[in-house]
Amino acid sequence: MSTDVPETDDILVIEGLGKSYSGHVVLRDISFRVRKGEAVVLIGSSGSGKSTCLRCLNRLEEPTTGTITLTGTPITGPRVDLNSLRRRIGMVFQGIHLYPHKTALGNVTLALRKVLGLSAQEAEQRARIQLERVGLADKEGHYPSQLSGGQQQRVGIARAMALEPQVMLFDEPTSALDPELVGEVLTVMKRTKEAGMTMVVVTHEMQFAREVADRVIFLDKGTILANGTPEEILIRPEHPRIQEFLARTRS
Amino acid sequence: MDQIIRYFFDFSLIAPYWPDILRGFSLTVVMSVLTVLIGIPLGLAIAIVRLYRIRSLNALIILYIDFFRSIPQIVLIILVYFALPYFGIVIDPFWATILALSIVLSAFAEEIFWAGINAVAKGQWEASRSTGMTFGQTLWFVILPQVVRISIPPLTNRAIGISKGTVLGSVIAVPELLNVTSSIQSNVANPTALTVGALLFVALFLPFVLFTRWLERAHATPR
Amino acid sequence: MSGFVDTFFNLTILRQVAPLLVEGFWLTLALSLVAVPLAVLCGILIAVAQDTPLRLLRLSIAAYVDVMRAIPPLVLLILIFYGLPFLGLRMNEFSAAVLALVLNGSSYFAEIFRAGLESVAKGQTEAARSTGMSWRQSLLYVVLPQGTRNVLPDLISNTVELVKQTSIASVVALQELLRSAQIAQGITYNPTPLVAAAIIYFLLFWPFVRIVSRMQNNTRIHT
């Protein structure tokens, strides 16, 4: 147990998180905290476990060991109301996964109506504000197949933000997009951070990490090798593996 | 050529039997509709139960769908009709046929829906659950609408195939179209009635066959 | 309980009628071994012929296939067996059954092979022809093998359907398995032979039904 004075504005506290699949250890002894308003970026090569780590935070992956708490409420553990916890955690996916049979507006309103119980009017009002914020107010009636990849992902962000979560998780949100569409999504993410949202981001976009992250965590083979500011990790990395990784990513 | 017309297209000969033929035809239509209305929802219900992954139930479900897809429809119809009385259930041939065919359709429909459920990307479940929607809400509002859309082509195909099985009711004396036209044929010693019957079957099922062709083409266009 | 077993699973009766059922089974097998290859072959020929640039031929073939898919096979059988003699075309039950099954089955196979052929990229034919192969060689060695592999589950399940349909030959008193079981039931006043026939059909088709299911359901979902 930590001997520090408990941080009262920690949104997420992760301690001793571990994950293994039938003998194969994917994550080992992951511990870090995310403070209110912070943007924490997880980086590392593929297979380092960064996505698995992120997906444990809303239990899309089940942690094998360790504890995770969200503003003091445990996420891990037996009698957890997962559905109500997930209202407070928003997630954006690499595969985007917009509901193809619903319009952009419909994608955003679905959870507002079914999870929060809002009326159709209230839900649409809130949804329109969210779509406005990601710059897609004029596309509310479009179906995902009528939108570009970047537009779809922005709707994905609006869909998650609409529930006004306490923390946003981004799982390689731009990795599957064509290069020229990446920028629009990163811009929205930047604005989200500037508006004060707490976020944990898994990404390969180093420039974004340098500009936006408050802290960068480098994962290697399932463990945290380094946890520091962007300057410490990205600009003047001490650990040789990090230097290797950055050199490879740059090319 | 003359002979063909005389024996197969002598419509005036069978004209007095026209009301019987129509009655047989409407019975065929009613049986087909009932079979579809019972079989498809039943298949969907079974697929949904299967989704809950209760192991003992799953084994039963798989046995059910395998058995009723393996047994010939005519055998099942005869079995149902002759076996139920031994259990004290008196059932008339009309309902025996519909019961047997609906069960067979439900088994095929379940497999089609199950394939559809598996075809919907896992990410759809994750995206929906990650916004706090429950399993049930996700299934109903996100997954099933997509499943139904994917399932329509194979389902229509299969429904047509099984609806054609209503003619098998003739072997247990259901007065459907084939039965009626066969009787007329032996009464007047002329197979025109059979031709008329065949044409009516085509008239009934061809639109649906063409519909599935159209569906295939519509789905072939890239999204 | 013992009443139930005595009625439906009576081993004494089963022993008595076993020879009859076995003969029926062989006839079912014989029917299948003749009808299936013919239907498959005709299906391939129709599918290949449909590729023709001649619009009229293409549309006629499509019309034939669609009409054949709209008519229940039993109707075809009755027409052939009871109707054709009026034109002097008398054939035995076996041949009539084969003809009906092939006419119906080949149209389904044609559709499956058409889908299979379409699934093979056009580039394959171009690549083959550019190495000097004739049209027939490129079809036989490059396109058909790939197309067939792509639609293998459908081919298998359609073959199963065809063999199941051999049971309709019982209606024209061909002594295949179902008819033998019905005769046995008539002699012994006991439905055990029918149950036995149903189980034999089930055991015969079950492996194939399972294989096809497995081929079509390779993804598992995660909720």
Side-chain angles (χ1 to χ4, degrees):
Chain A
M1 270 291 122
S2 169
T3 52
D4 295 357
V5 172
E7 305 274 357
T8 46
D9 59 359
D10 279 337
I11 298 279
L12 275 177
V13 176
I14 298 112
E15 262 176 68
L17 177 64
K19 170 82 188 170
S20 23
Y21 292 107
S22 49
H24 177 56
V25 175
V26 178
L27 288 177
R28 195 181 321 131
D29 200 26
I30 303 285
S31 305
F32 62 96
R33 291 158 188 263
V34 183
R35 277 202 292 272
K36 190 165 183 340
E38 259 197 327
V40 173
V41 176
L42 304 179
I43 61 171
S45 34
S46 31
S48 55
K50 48 192 200 303
S51 268
T52 310
C53 175
L54 192 75
R55 287 157 60 88
C56 281
L57 300 183
N58 68 352
R59 283 180 64 179
L60 282 181
E61 301 280 353
E62 283 298 333
T64 319
T65 53
T67 56
I68 306 172
T69 54
L70 175 69
T71 60
T73 322
I75 296 182
T76 49
R79 240 172 282 137
V80 164
D81 185 354
L82 210 42
N83 291 325
S84 73
L85 270 175
R86 283 176 174 161
R87 294 180 208 178
R88 295 154 57 187
I89 307 176
M91 188 162 209
V92 176
F93 299 84
Q94 181 178 356
I96 309 174
H97 298 305
L98 287 188
Y99 312 132
H101 56 300
K102 294 202 171 287
T103 59
L105 192 68
N107 264 271
V108 182
T109 55
L110 185 62
L112 293 178
R113 300 207 54 199
K114 304 301 171 187
V115 176
L116 298 186
L118 299 185
S119 73
Q121 274 157 312
E122 291 174 310
E124 284 183 13
Q125 239 174 359
R126 270 172 74 157
R128 287 201 174 100
I129 296 174
Q130 294 299 332
L131 284 175
E132 170 91 50
R133 288 209 191 124
V134 300
L136 289 171
D138 57 331
K139 299 269 190 260
E140 71 173 48
H142 283 61
Y143 284 89
S145 55
Q146 298 169 301
L147 301 173
S148 75
Q151 291 169 327
Q152 287 182 33
Q153 190 60 296
R154 286 191 275 153
V155 175
I157 296 175
R159 175 175 64 177
M161 292 285 291
L163 286 136
E164 290 171 5
Q166 293 174 301
V167 60
M168 282 283 286
L169 308 177
F170 292 86
D171 188 359
E172 298 203 41
T174 56
S175 299
L177 297 178
D178 286 336
E180 64 266 18
L181 301 174
V182 167
E184 63 192 69
V185 175
L186 295 180
T187 309
V188 169
M189 289 168 68
K190 230 175 277 186
R191 279 213 293 262
T192 309
K193 159 76 162 87
E194 281 157 17
M197 176 59 71
T198 313
M199 50 174 75
V200 183
V201 182
V202 172
T203 186
H204 289 293
E205 300 287 333
M206 295 304 149
Q207 172 125 356
F208 173 83
R210 267 197 299 272
E211 292 171 16
V212 176
D214 293 299
R215 267 188 310 118
V216 175
I217 298 181
F218 181 83
L219 279 118
D220 186 54
K221 296 208 189 69
T223 55
I224 295 183
L225 269 196
N227 178 344
T229 63
E231 286 72 33
E232 290 166 9
I233 309 283
L234 297 173
I235 301 179
R236 267 184 301 276
E238 292 183 352
H239 206 291
R241 289 219 28 84
I242 305 182
Q243 294 167 353
E244 253 176 63
F245 171 75
L246 289 174
R248 260 182 300 135
T249 323
R250 210 160 287 142
S251 58
Chain B
M1 192 59 209
D2 267 342
Q3 284 201 309
I4 296 184
I5 298 186
R6 181 155 37 117
Y7 288 120
F8 287 91
F9 292 93
D10 191 351
F11 296 119
S12 55
L13 183 62
I14 59 142
Y17 294 96
W18 193 242
D20 296 308
I21 294 179
L22 279 182
R23 227 170 304 157
F25 181 65
S26 50
L27 207 65
T28 295
V29 172
V30 168
M31 286 202 293
S32 303
V33 170
L34 283 175
T35 300
V36 169
L37 286 180
I38 300 175
I40 291 185
L42 183 56
L44 182 58
I46 298 174
I48 292 178
V49 168
R50 192 172 173 185
L51 208 48
Y52 282 87
R53 297 185 190 278
I54 305 167
R55 198 165 289 159
S56 49
L57 261 178
N58 268 16
L60 261 163
I61 289 178
I62 293 183
L63 189 61
Y64 174 94
I65 60 177
D66 279 359
F67 182 75
F68 291 111
R69 289 183 304 152
S70 303
I71 187 173
Q73 295 167 25
I74 189 174
V75 172
L76 187 62
I77 291 174
I78 292 176
L79 248 182
V80 167
Y81 185 60
F82 284 107
L84 284 187
Y86 286 94
F87 293 100
I89 307 174
V90 179
I91 186 170
D92 90 42
F94 175 81
W95 287 109
T97 308
I98 293 176
L99 179 63
L101 292 177
S102 322
I103 292 179
V104 171
L105 179 55
S106 73
F108 280 103
E110 192 280 342
E111 269 306 85
I112 292 171
F113 284 125
W114 187 247
I117 289 173
N118 283 319
V120 175
K122 171 178 158 183
Q124 290 288 311
W125 287 94
E126 291 186 348
S128 176
R129 297 304 306 274
S130 74
T131 60
M133 303 241 285
T134 63
F135 178 84
Q137 288 174 322
T138 302
L139 182 61
W140 188 253
F141 294 108
V142 175
I143 306 297
L144 282 184
Q146 299 183 52
V147 170
V148 167
R149 215 153 295 206
I150 310 175
S151 301
I152 292 182
L155 212 52
T156 332
N157 233 335
R158 190 52 75 173
I160 297 174
I162 302 216
S163 301
K164 291 197 289 176
T166 51
V167 304
L168 301 171
S170 60
V171 312
I172 51 172
V174 176
E176 48 69 61
L177 186 54
L178 178 61
N179 200 342
V180 167
T181 51
S182 285
S183 309
I184 298 173
Q185 180 252 333
S186 52
N187 279 349
V188 303
N190 181 297
T192 300
L194 288 178
T195 317
V196 170
L199 288 172
L200 282 173
F201 277 112
V202 174
L204 174 59
F205 291 115
L206 190 59
F208 295 99
V209 171
L210 293 174
F211 175 63
T212 47
R213 242 192 217 287
W214 176 83
L215 270 180
E216 275 173 46
R217 214 168 303 141
H219 275 258
T221 50
R223 297 173 116 247
Chain C
M1 187 60 207
S2 70
F4 176 78
V5 172
D6 269 338
T7 314
F8 292 103
F9 295 94
N10 193 315
L11 288 176
T12 330
I13 291 189
L14 191 55
R15 243 186 303 256
Q16 281 179 295
V17 301
L20 196 60
L21 291 183
V22 169
E23 270 186 51
F25 178 74
W26 289 133
L27 198 54
T28 294
L29 217 54
L31 249 182
S32 314
L33 286 175
V34 175
V36 171
L38 277 176
V40 169
L41 190 59
C42 292
I44 294 178
L45 291 174
I46 295 173
V48 169
Q50 234 185 336
D51 234 344
T52 178
L54 296 167
R55 194 157 182 267
L56 189 60
L57 185 57
R58 217 178 338 128
L59 289 178
S60 322
I61 293 179
Y64 165 83
V65 166
D66 284 347
V67 166
M68 278 301 153
R69 288 199 299 163
I71 299 187
L74 182 57
V75 173
L76 272 177
L77 178 59
I78 302 283
L79 251 174
I80 292 171
F81 191 68
Y82 292 110
L84 288 187
F86 285 86
L87 294 178
L89 277 166
R90 200 168 297 266
M91 58 178 84
N92 66 19
E93 295 89 343
F94 190 89
S95 314
V98 169
L99 185 56
L101 290 175
V102 170
L103 280 175
N104 185 64
S106 64
S107 58
Y108 279 96
F109 278 119
E111 274 305 287
I112 295 173
F113 281 115
R114 188 183 60 86
L117 287 175
E118 278 175 16
S119 72
V120 179
K122 191 181 283 175
Q124 293 289 310
T125 317
E126 293 179 349
R129 298 301 305 278
S130 73
T131 63
M133 286 202 226
S134 74
W135 174 82
R136 193 188 301 151
Q137 286 176 317
S138 71
L139 185 67
L140 211 56
Y141 298 114
V142 175
V143 180
L144 267 181
Q146 292 184 59
T148 310
R149 197 175 318 132
N150 289 342
V151 292
L152 199 56
D154 283 334
L155 285 178
I156 297 178
S157 76
N158 207 52
T159 305
V160 168
E161 281 308 305
L162 216 163
V163 178
K164 279 201 268 173
Q165 277 168 4
T166 55
S167 47
I168 63 173
S170 59
V171 176
V172 296
L174 184 65
Q175 255 183 269
E176 41 68 68
L177 180 56
L178 175 58
R179 184 96 196 114
S180 309
Q182 287 174 305
I183 292 175
Q185 186 211 4
I187 299 174
T188 62
Y189 291 100
N190 179 294
T192 299
L194 273 180
V195 175
I199 294 177
I200 295 174
Y201 277 117
F202 173 54
L203 293 175
L204 179 61
F205 297 122
W206 193 24
F208 300 100
V209 167
R210 262 295 95 214
I211 292 175
V212 170
S213 274
R214 193 149 302 168
M215 279 195 229
Q216 288 177 327
N217 280 334
N218 274 327
T219 24
R220 283 190 66 230
I221 52 161
H222 166 69
T223 48

